[in-house]
Amino acid sequence: MTAAAAALLALALALAPALCAVLGVAPNAASKYAPATGGVFQCLGSKTVVPFSAVNDDYCDCPDGSDEPGTSACRNGKFYCPQAGFEGKQIATSLLNDKFCDCCDGADEFASGVKCENTCDIEREQALREADAKLKTFDEGMQQKQALVAGVKERWGLLQSELDILRTTIMTETNEPALRLARRNAARSSGTDPLREETLRNDRMRLLERMDEFDFGAASCFVMLFGNEYSFNSSSYQYVYRPYDRVAQVSLQDDSVTNMGKFSKWGNKRETMEFGNGDACWMGPARRTSVKMICGATSGPAASVRSVTEPSKCEYEIEVVTPCACGALTRSALQHRVDALGSQACH
């Protein structure tokens, strides 16, 4: 061991009691860093065994870096910031003693000579404000959700009535070609493409005919989104989201439409709507879209699109705010975080 490593180890051992059993280890993981029989340490992510003296000796022995939680020897090591009075967090060990304060209590700069200002109380207050805001947003969403659920029965009736009208209209025009011709002529006179109009009408009827096949969630709240159309504009495109139907990208330059996927299933306990088998990308896969449901109040009809991103080629993510995504378990977790942050204090 070099003189520098020995000095670092000595300092780490001196500081360890104030932090946890081994420098850089979270309290809930301290038991994993107790010397095993024979004075050895087993790497957390493998069966590799090293002498316990190899822990924090500034040399990386474990493939997962678990033997060096308090030095920067391992590229994939993790260091635990205690951050008393706030909440602990893990950072990459590559950030240790780099003369930049990453832990709000400065625990990561124990040997750099840098004196970090303790900002834990400031960060806790900011986190508390954010948690309070999320809880308020949730409560507003839950209030709207109650109103939506109260309207579910009426919504079912309106959709069924629309389906009956569409069936009757289409059947009548099928049996009486003169009526269909008159409607098409009227559409052309108003500048509307009658064939496109018929396609949209037939698609709408087929969607409504499948109402009984869909999962509308607890209290059928998501039926309040069914049949609606939501849009989001970027600088070049308008994104159109139709719940339980499809997602499309419309060019604002030439009105060309790209299919970003058709509804396939709910994902992750109704947290996302998954759409697949969209138009193929150039030299790439078929487009697909994941629509994430976020609890909150909205000014739109039961939902509104908050953002559209493309994290990887031909794979899109849409965030939709809707009261229907609000649930009792979520509120319990939010309230617990507010209470926990409110009861903490940095000293």
Side-chain angles (χ1 to χ4, degrees):
M1 183 184 298
T2 65
L8 181 61
L9 178 60
L11 181 58
L13 292 173
L15 289 173
L19 299 174
C20 51
V22 175
L23 182 68
V25 176
N28 62 2
S31 62
K32 299 177 182 178
Y33 283 83
T37 303
V40 298
F41 170 76
Q42 180 175 323
C43 302
L44 302 186
S46 68
K47 294 183 179 180
T48 303
V49 175
V50 299
F52 194 79
S53 60
V55 175
N56 280 342
D57 68 348
D58 206 32
Y59 183 84
C60 194
D61 299 287
C62 296
D64 63 351
S66 58
D67 62 307
E68 297 298 314
T71 81
S72 56
C74 299
R75 291 183 302 172
N76 53 348
K78 297 294 182 183
F79 175 85
Y80 178 76
C81 303
Q83 303 192 151
F86 181 30
E87 53 191 6
K89 71 175 183 180
Q90 283 193 322
I91 63 171
T93 53
S94 59
L95 300 176
L96 294 178
N97 300 309
D98 62 353
K99 298 186 182 298
F100 185 84
C101 303
D102 298 285
C103 305
C104 68
D105 57 1
D108 56 308
E109 296 303 309
F110 55 83
S112 68
V114 172
K115 183 174 177 60
C116 298
E117 179 184 359
N118 190 316
T119 60
C120 290
D121 198 43
I122 295 173
E123 293 190 20
R124 181 188 63 82
E125 290 176 357
Q126 176 62 29
L128 179 57
R129 285 193 293 271
E130 291 174 357
D132 272 329
K134 287 182 178 180
L135 185 59
K136 180 180 178 181
T137 297
F138 178 91
D139 286 340
E140 291 172 349
M142 278 297 289
Q143 187 174 6
Q144 281 195 2
K145 182 178 181 178
Q146 293 174 1
L148 289 175
V149 170
V152 165
K153 185 176 180 180
E154 180 182 0
R155 177 68 176 168
W156 271 105
L158 290 173
L159 291 170
Q160 187 60 55
S161 295
E162 182 184 356
L163 175 59
D164 293 341
I165 292 172
L166 284 172
R167 282 172 170 168
T168 300
T169 301
I170 292 173
M171 184 177 295
T172 300
E173 289 188 1
T174 300
N175 295 331
E176 300 182 36
L179 287 177
R180 182 170 61 219
L181 180 60
R183 183 188 54 76
R184 287 179 175 179
N185 289 334
R188 290 191 185 95
S189 298
S190 64
T192 303
D193 181 349
L195 297 181
R196 183 174 184 276
E197 186 180 76
E198 288 176 14
T199 298
L200 293 174
R201 186 181 63 180
N202 292 339
D203 287 347
R204 177 74 174 182
M205 184 181 73
R206 282 191 288 268
L207 177 65
L208 293 174
E209 287 177 334
R210 298 178 59 204
M211 277 193 298
D212 292 336
E213 301 175 18
F214 298 123
D215 176 4
F216 292 117
S220 297
C221 186
F222 282 98
V223 78
M224 303 301 286
L225 281 68
F226 180 76
N228 293 338
E229 181 175 291
Y230 303 94
S231 62
F232 180 87
N233 283 16
S234 70
S235 59
S236 302
Y237 300 101
Q238 180 182 61
Y239 295 92
V240 179
Y241 161 58
R242 295 172 184 158
Y244 298 94
D245 188 10
R246 67 189 65 200
V247 181
Q249 181 189 67
V250 183
S251 171
L252 297 179
Q253 294 182 341
D254 58 13
D255 291 330
S256 60
V257 179
T258 300
N259 178 8
M260 294 168 59
K262 297 178 181 179
F263 178 70
S264 60
K265 63 180 180 178
W266 276 106
N268 197 20
K269 299 180 179 179
R270 296 197 205 94
E271 290 185 2
T272 60
M273 271 191 183
E274 303 297 334
F275 295 76
N277 296 316
D279 291 341
C281 283
W282 173 251
M283 300 295 287
R287 289 173 172 82
R288 63 179 183 176
T289 303
S290 181
V291 180
K292 183 178 181 181
M293 300 295 168
I294 298 173
C295 165
T298 176
S299 58
S304 58
V305 177
R306 186 166 75 177
S307 66
V308 179
T309 58
E310 187 178 2
S312 57
K313 185 178 180 180
C314 305
E315 295 185 2
Y316 305 87
E317 291 184 359
I318 297 178
E319 289 188 343
V320 170
V321 177
T322 173
C324 293
C326 302
L329 291 177
T330 303
R331 191 190 194 288
S332 177
L334 290 172
Q335 185 65 62
H336 177 76
R337 177 159 176 75
V338 169
D339 294 341
L341 289 169
S343 65
Q344 293 169 344
C346 273
H347 300 289

